[in-house]
Amino acid sequence: MRTRTPALTRRQMLRAGGLSLAALGGLTACGATNATAPVPGLAPGADPWRRFAGTTINFISENTAPTAAIAANLQPFKDLTGINVNIVTLALPALVQRVALDLAGGQSQYDVVYADPYQVLAPYAAGLSDLREFAADDSYPPLEGGFEDFIPTQLQAAGMFGDSDAIHALPYDCPTMIWQYRKDIFEKHHDSMRTDLGFDPTPSAERTWEEYFRIAKWINDNVDEVPYGTGHQAKQHDSLMCDFSNVLWSYGGDYFADGAAVGLRGSEDPGECLLTSPESVAAAEFYRRLVSIAHPGSLGWDWDGVGNALAAGEIAMAPNWHEFAATNEEALPGLVGYAPLPRGPVGTANHYGGTGIGISAMSSGARRGAAWLFVNWATSTATQLSNLRSSAGGGTPTRQSVYAMPEVQAATTRPTEMPNMLTEEAVSIAWAEGKIGLRPKIPMWNECDTALFTELSRMLAGQKTAREAMEDATSRIDGIVARGWVA
């Protein structure tokens, strides 16, 4: 089976890079250039991993833990394939700009792309190859375990867009927000907290956000070991949207109708924004109250700020991305616990922020084939296991088979050489259907995100009420969606 990837429209290309029509003239319906050389065939008896030996490809990635681990240990891939890989790591905004310009220019500088679902996959899906083409071609090494081995929600959220069955990226990382807390403090003060609060304070998905608030306030008033009970990534930044979204979804609010589908598969036209609903306003009001008793540094923190505060003993608990477990184990070995986030009136929601890696549809010839070998290897069982053990980075597996390995299961309890696996019980619940939190996967999400965190920041600064912030965010988001995507 060979599938065809639709080309980016000229309008999309010009928006992405502002380049001339002449630069786009070579793009064909299959996403390659007219000058594309055919991918070399496989000689009888030849090693399929070696068919592109001597080729050099370029991989552009956000500076993430899995990429740090792979960059520190590329030799096994070169030994296996004879392929050279240049890795460019950037902050996400710079990466998005580079990818947009590369697709618009038709030069294919980058063969393998870290395809953030919201800023790369949604707006540029037509510029990414359909990986089913490679997996169905038996002249390549097989995709170990097939697409089915990847965690299903992650394959869709990180790799697919809209109604198409095309798979544009393989799940590469899977940061997910969970409840991280100082076990020693909760154990020491458990009985006093339970007596004063009237409920078991032990973190779990059974705790409510109101109970979380009360626990944090109790720690503020009664515990000397840390200055504050909770901290939040409430800076005027993407992190604020991430932190707030957990509360929004658990209260029954959402950004758009059919939010689960818009988050999982994506849409070019999500409809009207729903942030003025009673549930959304109630969530915003609670979030305002929660941040008001949190560490005051929260208003200037993103996820790194919260992670550093927990590691430095400034706060007793926080919602944060689960892959901070490795940092926690270095700074506070054995003292940090992990649980799913608290529930609101309609349940718990744990924000998923994972990303896949794909192949530029502009990549051609041997580089295109070599890019698939790298994507296959970089997401393989062996590589994901190696990343878990890496001192240079890490990440968390996106394949179900990795979690089933005896050595990985053993690493879920201390002592462990794979600290991110200490979160396994929490994230396995967080990734379940109905509990995973998925922001809207729409081409114009970056602008919508900015509108939301700007209005939330004004609310937290006391410049607007929760209702005013939600009304103004809704108005801005509706305007962005109505106008359509502009790169």
Side-chain angles (χ1 to χ4, degrees), residues 112-334:
V112 180
V113 176
Y114 181 85
D116 176 83
Y118 316 98
Q119 297 188 53
V120 174
L121 175 58
Y124 303 116
L128 296 170
S129 299
D130 184 349
L131 302 183
R132 296 178 301 170
E133 171 188 342
F134 301 95
D137 187 339
D138 60 11
S139 69
Y140 289 108
L143 178 63
E144 181 183 8
F147 295 113
E148 297 77 16
D149 191 30
F150 293 96
I151 296 169
T153 51
Q154 295 182 19
L155 181 64
Q156 294 183 71
M160 306 176 79
F161 182 71
D163 296 331
S164 170
D165 290 331
I167 297 174
H168 297 292
L170 295 185
Y172 181 66
D173 61 21
C174 53
T176 303
M177 293 188 75
I178 58 173
W179 187 348
Q180 304 182 30
Y181 62 96
R182 285 284 298 275
K183 285 176 56 181
D184 55 331
I185 291 175
F186 273 79
E187 289 169 358
K188 177 179 179 180
H189 298 282
H190 175 273
D191 292 346
S192 297
M193 273 197 279
R194 180 167 189 158
T195 298
D196 292 348
L197 298 175
F199 59 86
D200 184 350
T202 304
S204 76
E206 296 307 308
R207 300 280 63 78
T208 68
W209 277 111
E210 284 290 346
E211 290 172 343
Y212 182 101
F213 176 93
R214 293 178 61 194
I215 292 169
K217 194 169 186 312
W218 191 93
I219 293 173
N220 287 354
D221 297 338
N222 296 280
V223 172
D224 295 329
E225 293 95 315
V226 293
Y228 288 90
T230 187
H232 294 268
Q233 45 189 270
K235 179 181 180 179
Q236 188 173 331
H237 178 268
D238 176 62
S239 60
L240 175 52
M241 175 279 299
C242 295
D243 202 45
F244 168 70
S245 293
N246 297 308
V247 176
L248 174 70
W249 294 318
S250 73
Y251 267 67
D254 213 330
Y255 295 101
F256 301 101
D258 202 11
V262 173
L264 189 65
R265 295 299 297 268
S267 172
E268 292 184 352
D269 183 11
E272 295 183 352
C273 181
L274 302 181
L275 288 176
T276 56
S277 71
E279 295 83 1
S280 298
V281 173
E285 175 55 30
F286 171 78
Y287 187 74
R288 184 199 64 76
R289 289 175 48 225
L290 179 61
V291 175
S292 74
I293 66 160
H295 194 298
S298 297
L299 296 178
W301 288 342
D302 58 10
W303 38 77
D304 287 325
V306 170
N308 292 337
L310 183 66
E314 289 291 312
I315 55 178
M317 59 183 184
N320 205 0
W321 304 106
H322 80 279
E323 292 177 345
F324 274 86
T327 300
N328 295 339
E329 288 304 298
E330 278 190 26
L332 299 166

